[in-house]
Amino acid sequence: MIDATELQPAGVDRFPVRAPIPPARLDALSRDILALKKKLNAVILAHNYQVPEIQDIADFVGDSLGLAQQAARTKADVIVFCGVDFMAETAKILNPDKIVVLPDKDAGCSLEESCPAGKLAELQQTNPNFWTIAYINCSAAVKALSDVICTSGNAVRIVNAAPKDRDILFVPDENLGSWVTEQTGRKMTLWRGACYVHVEWTHGAITRIRREFPDAPVVAHPECTRAVRMLADEVCSTEKMVEWCRRTQSKQIIIATEAGMLHRLKKECPDKEFIPAPTDNCRCNECKFMKMNTLEKLHDCMKNLAPRIELPKALLDRARLPIERMLEISARPLENAG
Ligand code: 13P
Ligand code: SF4
């Protein structure tokens, strides 16, 4: 099986090991996927946390913002979304007439789970002056209740562009929200959600790895806690990590985000060594939801055109507005970004 193995125990290696797909099977699957892509006029979009063999066959690999931008401009008839459900839903919201498939329909997200739409609606009723900014890691129903969406790649810009006379309600990631407040000085009411992967990194574990590699800078995702972010040389989205690592003179870089990112970074910067930041329990950290997608499931979802993302029209229409608002703010020249 493709995804049968676990992370190696602490101390053995710094990288997760998965049973490799036998070369003949990999070739056959890849050939079939490319043929199906042509036949369906499909585009394969993959998040930076996907397994290497999916990243390697995708048309575009990127962060949530890049993937949403690609989905907004694609001419393909079918969008094959290798990521988690809220990302595929975003693609569907932007393309209600296209078929959007996701290799594993159970690929969710702990942040999305932390913020049920009913509870958000209740909180919104307590203050009619709320301007709700929802991190893209939320359900379509939460998007539909929001004024604007953001990703980790544009959250600072989106908050800076918020009307000054409104009280910002930022959902669902408390850590991203507190980082944005540090960056912008804008006070916000924060929903108390968290990414179960990124909160695993601790001040102690990062301090220990820094001691082991004293010359290596630390790059961390803003979903990490403040205790970890304050030890980082750079805090940014997964795509900005690629840019930062390309530019830095350092040859070794410690990466505090989901382990799939290492494959992308190694491809983009082959002359550098990427050290996964350990947690207190393991040598690196994976998102179980992101890792539900495999090359086999990617193949099957294209062959069967299922599982498909289907959402009620009224929800699609209501959720589109805040996503389009985000894309419009992100496309503004920087001096007019607000
Ligand atoms: P990025 O948008 O930075 O890729 O983050 C998505 C995500 O789910 C992080 O856990
Ligand atoms: Fe959600 Fe965290 Fe997985 Fe990203 S890494 S998809 S935020 S659970």
Side-chain angles (χ1 to χ4, degrees), residues 89-317:
E89 283 183 358
T90 302
K92 180 69 183 178
I93 293 163
L94 290 166
N95 296 278
D97 300 326
K98 292 189 199 286
I99 293 174
V100 178
V101 288
L102 175 69
D104 191 314
K105 69 172 176 34
D106 294 327
C109 170
S110 67
L111 276 167
E112 179 185 0
E113 280 169 20
S114 76
C115 188
K119 290 254 180 292
L120 172 59
E122 272 172 34
L123 179 59
Q124 286 175 320
Q125 276 158 20
T126 65
N127 181 355
N129 199 40
F130 269 146
W131 177 259
T132 305
I133 302 181
Y135 186 31
I136 197 163
N137 298 39
C138 64
S139 66
V142 165
K143 288 183 175 76
L145 288 171
S146 304
D147 292 293
V148 62
I149 304 304
C150 74
T151 71
S152 57
N154 63 15
V156 168
R157 243 180 128 166
I158 299 294
V159 168
N160 278 332
K164 300 283 175 260
D165 58 345
R166 301 290 293 270
D167 303 323
I168 298 181
L169 170 59
F170 190 93
V171 303
D173 189 0
E174 188 178 18
N175 288 308
L176 175 66
S178 69
W179 176 70
V180 175
T181 292
E182 288 159 22
Q183 303 300 303
T184 60
R186 187 88 190 244
K187 292 227 164 24
M188 310 194 284
T189 300
L190 303 180
W191 191 269
R192 307 204 57 184
C195 162
Y196 89 102
V197 178
H198 285 84
V199 296
E200 282 285 308
W201 281 289
T202 62
H203 192 275
I206 301 295
T207 304
R208 283 193 292 280
I209 194 82
R210 283 209 87 135
R211 260 189 230 124
E212 212 182 308
F213 297 93
D215 296 329
V218 173
V219 179
H221 197 276
E223 287 173 10
C224 293
T225 63
R226 183 158 190 275
V228 166
R229 295 194 312 263
M230 59 195 272
L231 293 175
D233 296 273
E234 176 67 6
V235 176
C236 59
S237 76
T238 60
E239 199 55 32
K240 288 186 179 168
M241 286 183 187
V242 176
E243 289 163 35
W244 196 90
C245 291
R246 269 201 209 112
R247 277 201 316 270
T248 182
Q249 300 293 312
S250 305
K251 289 292 178 205
Q252 288 185 315
I253 305 151
I254 299 166
I255 302 293
T257 197
E258 208 271 351
M261 191 65 213
L262 300 168
H263 179 71
R264 175 81 200 284
L265 287 169
K266 279 189 269 179
K267 269 177 99 165
E268 300 282 350
C269 312
D271 57 326
K272 296 187 177 164
E273 186 193 355
F274 295 99
I275 300 151
T279 68
D280 290 333
N281 305 311
C282 69
R283 281 298 198 158
C284 65
N285 208 358
E286 288 196 330
C287 171
K288 65 179 176 187
F289 301 112
M290 285 282 182
K291 295 304 190 271
M292 284 179 178
N293 297 328
T294 62
L295 198 67
E296 302 267 4
K297 290 184 198 172
L298 165 57
H299 171 268
D300 292 353
C301 85
M302 293 178 78
K303 192 169 138 220
N304 305 323
L305 282 181
R308 266 185 219 198
I309 303 290
E310 307 277 14
L311 295 165
K313 185 177 178 315
L315 183 57
L316 287 167
D317 290 346

